Amino acid sequence: MSATSWVRIVRPENPRPKTSSRPDLDRGRGRSLRSPRSHRNEDRDPCIDICQFDARNRWCVGCARTVEEIRGWRKLTAFRRTALCNELKHRMNRLRRNV
């Protein structure tokens, strides 16, 4: 029989993390809390939590998307999201004029 030796790993106590002057950095360690692409408009969901649909054109009053566009948002490529966001601006203007 072979003898098993156990090794105990002791981690030193971490000193209090430094605070950063930039709020988007993780406690001065240089890692961003946000994903690198999260600042782009096409990656953000345009929903503003006003989910009421216009009966005439079936667009959401809050974001101007259809139900199908809302359901498929995560599956869209960045190019298609950008194209849809540009279209949503025009739709919102049409919704405001019709109100």
Side-chain angles (χ1 to χ4, degrees), residues 15 38-39 46 53 60-61 65 71 73 80 82 94-95 98:
S38 68
H39 65 282
F53 290 86
C60 175
V61 176
R65 294 183 294 173
R71 286 183 185 153
W73 178 259
R80 296 217 182 249
T82 302
R94 287 178 58 189
L95 281 173
N98 292 335

Side-chain angles (χ1 to χ4, degrees), residues 25-70:
L25 294 180
D26 179 22
R27 299 276 182 174
R29 293 185 200 112
R31 292 187 308 242
S32 177
L33 293 174
R34 290 178 259 159
S35 67
R37 296 178 51 180
S38 68
H39 65 282
R40 296 183 184 171
N41 286 336
E42 69 267 9
D43 290 338
R44 289 192 216 136
D45 194 329
C47 182
I48 59 169
D49 294 329
I50 302 175
C51 299
Q52 298 173 354
F53 290 86
D54 185 52
R56 193 177 322 157
N57 49 27
R58 297 183 181 152
W59 294 337
C60 175
V61 176
C63 66
R65 294 183 294 173
T66 63
V67 173
E68 292 80 21
E69 291 167 341
I70 293 170

Side-chain angles (χ1 to χ4, degrees), residues 42 77-90:
E42 69 267 9
T77 63
F79 179 80
R80 296 217 182 249
R81 285 183 186 181
T82 302
L84 182 57
C85 284
N86 291 334
E87 175 64 27
L88 294 178
K89 293 172 189 175
H90 298 290

